[in-house]
C-alpha cells in the first residue's frame, strides 16, 4: 500500500471494503451557520443541504445541524471529492475535500475515528500542521484541515476546509463511523446504516488500548 499522510504512529486499522454506502440524500430543515472566508458555507434555504452540496465549489461547505442525539456518520465520496455528514439518515452537512493523489490514494472502506487531536503535526512530512486531526487508521490516514483545491492532492489523508474541520471536530467522538467510498452521488448512494454509538465508542477504545500496547512491545 502506498504511504499515506502520516500522523504519529504506524500500524494498520480499519476494514477497507468497496461498495455502496448511501442512497439519494435527504434534505434537512434548520438554521444554517455561515462561516467566514475562505471556507464559506452556503445557506440551505431551498431544498436543504442536499441541494447545496451538489454545487459546492472548492474550499466551501454547508452546515445545518439540528443537534439531535442520533448517531453521527461521515461519508466521503472520492469521485465527488466531498464529505457528507449524517445524523441518523438525515444529511446535516457537506463539504468539499481533497483525498489522496495518484500513488498515495486514500483507502476505501469502513472506519471509526480512533483518535482526535486539535493541534497535531505530521511525523513524516516536516512536522506539517494537521489541525483538528481525526485518525482513521494507525498507519496514518486521517481527516484534518488542510489545502482544499477541489481535487485529490494529499498523501492519503482527507483534507477539509478549516472551518468545516473545526465544526466536525466539535460533534464527533472516538468511535464515530466514517465510510470512504469510490461511488459518486450520481451512482445512487445508500443512506448510512444506524448503529449503537455508545457500543462503538467502547469497542474502539478497547481496540485502541490493544493497539497501543502492541506498538509499545515493538
Amino acid at each position: 500500500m502506498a504511504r499515506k499522510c502520516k500522523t504519529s504512529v504506524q500500524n494498520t486499522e480499519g476494514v477497507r471494503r468497496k461498495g455502496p454506502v448511501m442512497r439519494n440524500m435527504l434534505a434537512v430543515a434548520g438554521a444554517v451557520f455561515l462561516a467566514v472566508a475562505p471556507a464559506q458555507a452556503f445557506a440551505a434555504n431551498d431544498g436543504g443541504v442536499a441541494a447545496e452540496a451538489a454545487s459546492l465549489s472548492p474550499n466551501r461547505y454547508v452546515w445545518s445541524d439540528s443537534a439531535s442525539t442520533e448517531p453521527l456518520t461521515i461519508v466521503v465520496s472520492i469521485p465527488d471529492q466531498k464529505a457528507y455528514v449524517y445524523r441518523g439518515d438525515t444529511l446535516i452537512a457537506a463539504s468539499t475535500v481533497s483525498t489522496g493523489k495518484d500513488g498515495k490514494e486514500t483507502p476505501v472502506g469502513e472506519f471509526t475515528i480512533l483518535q482526535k487531536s486539535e493541534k497535531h503535526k505530521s511525523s513524516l512530512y516536516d512536522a506539517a500542521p494537521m489541525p483538528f486531526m481525526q485518525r482513521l487508521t494507525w498507519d496514518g490516514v486521517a481527516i484534518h484541515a488542510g489545502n482544499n483545491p477541489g481535487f485529490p492532492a494529499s498523501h492519503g489523508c482527507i483534507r477539509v476546509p478549516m472551518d468545516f474541520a473545526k465544526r466536525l471536530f466539535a460533534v464527533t467522538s472516538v468511535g464515530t463511523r466514517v465510510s470512504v467510498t469510490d461511488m459518486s452521488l450520481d451512482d445512487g448512494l445508500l443512506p448510512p446504516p444506524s448503529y449503537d454509538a455508545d457500543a462503538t465508542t467502547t469497542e474502539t477504545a478497547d481496540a485502541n488500548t490493544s493497539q497501543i500496547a502492541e506498538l509499545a512491545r515493538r
Side-chain angles (χ1 to χ4, degrees):
M1 180 181 297
R3 288 194 307 172
K4 308 299 186 299
C5 182
K6 303 292 181 178
T7 49
S8 59
V9 295
Q10 298 181 22
N11 202 353
T12 56
E13 184 71 22
V15 180
R16 299 174 173 89
R17 297 195 304 269
K18 294 188 178 182
V21 292
M22 61 182 174
R23 198 176 34 189
N24 284 338
M25 298 178 295
L26 303 177
V28 58
V32 173
F33 299 89
L34 298 180
V36 296
Q40 182 177 3
F42 283 84
N45 54 14
D46 72 337
V49 175
E52 299 296 342
S55 59
L56 287 175
S57 56
N59 210 39
R60 296 197 176 189
Y61 71 93
V62 59
W63 191 280
S64 182
D65 188 5
S66 63
S68 72
T69 58
E70 293 182 279
L72 202 74
T73 305
I74 304 164
V75 179
V76 178
S77 168
I78 291 177
D80 288 353
Q81 288 294 283
K82 290 189 176 85
Y84 306 104
V85 185
Y86 287 82
R87 284 198 183 276
D89 61 359
T90 300
L91 183 68
I92 63 163
S95 175
T96 55
V97 304
S98 181
T99 57
K101 59 188 175 182
D102 287 347
K104 300 181 183 293
E105 291 84 357
T106 302
V108 169
E110 306 298 321
F111 306 90
T112 57
I113 292 174
L114 303 175
Q115 183 187 53
K116 298 176 63 172
S117 177
E118 184 174 341
K119 298 178 180 179
H120 194 80
K121 292 184 178 181
S122 172
S123 62
L124 287 185
Y125 298 103
D126 301 318
M130 300 168 64
F132 303 104
M133 186 278 293
Q134 304 192 68
R135 184 190 298 279
L136 302 184
T137 76
W138 285 108
D139 63 349
V141 179
I143 299 171
H144 65 83
N147 185 31
N148 191 237
F151 55 84
S154 80
H155 290 98
C157 284
I158 300 163
R159 298 176 186 164
V160 298
M162 179 66 78
D163 288 348
F164 180 81
K166 184 175 182 180
R167 288 186 183 278
L168 190 64
F169 193 91
V171 297
T172 60
S173 61
V174 169
T176 294
R177 288 189 176 179
V178 180
S179 179
V180 182
T181 178
D182 56 5
M183 291 190 68
S184 167
L185 179 63
D186 293 338
D187 295 330
L189 303 175
L190 297 172
S194 61
Y195 66 98
D196 186 329
D198 291 338
T200 303
T201 296
T202 299
E203 291 168 4
T204 302
D206 291 344
N208 283 350
T209 299
S210 298
Q211 186 67 42
I212 292 170
E214 176 64 24
L215 290 172
R217 289 193 290 269
R218 294 182 179 181

